Amino acid sequence: MSKLAGVKFERDTRGRVKKVTLDMKRHSAFLEDYLDHLKIEEAKKDAEFIPWEDAVKVLDKQHGKKGLKKSEI
């Protein structure tokens, strides 16, 4: 495994990574983004999704606007 500045890997007797230590001065932004990503993915599991065309119809009805096609975004 290549060396990464501010990252320390601790391995077991077989050489498998068991613990990773990050220098928070260097990697706090990355860790914050990663944790945000995990929260979003967890929230998606319980979310209800509707097809694009149905969402456009609902928004058009609420706001009286002409809907956009996916290709127009």
Side-chain angles (χ1 to χ4, degrees):
M1 193 172 277
S2 63
K3 293 273 185 180
L4 297 172
V7 180
K8 179 181 171 186
F9 297 96
E10 293 184 25
R11 301 175 182 277
D12 64 9
T13 55
R14 295 176 128 181
R16 297 178 295 195
V17 176
K18 291 295 177 182
K19 185 176 174 181
V20 178
T21 305
L22 296 175
D23 177 350
M24 292 308 292
K25 288 181 182 176
R26 288 179 179 241
H27 301 291
S28 62
F30 164 76
L31 185 58
E32 186 177 337
D33 290 346
Y34 178 70
L35 293 174
D36 288 345
H37 172 74
L38 291 178
K39 287 178 190 176
I40 291 168
E41 290 302 312
E42 185 65 28
K44 283 182 181 179
K45 289 180 182 178
D46 299 328
E48 292 184 29
F49 293 95
I50 62 172
W52 172 257
E53 291 76 18
D54 294 345
V56 170
K57 288 176 187 175
V58 169
L59 292 172
D60 285 348
K61 187 175 180 179
Q62 289 175 350
H63 301 284
K65 296 183 180 179
K66 183 179 177 187
L68 295 174
K69 297 177 184 172
K70 284 184 183 179
S71 61
E72 297 174 323
I73 298 177

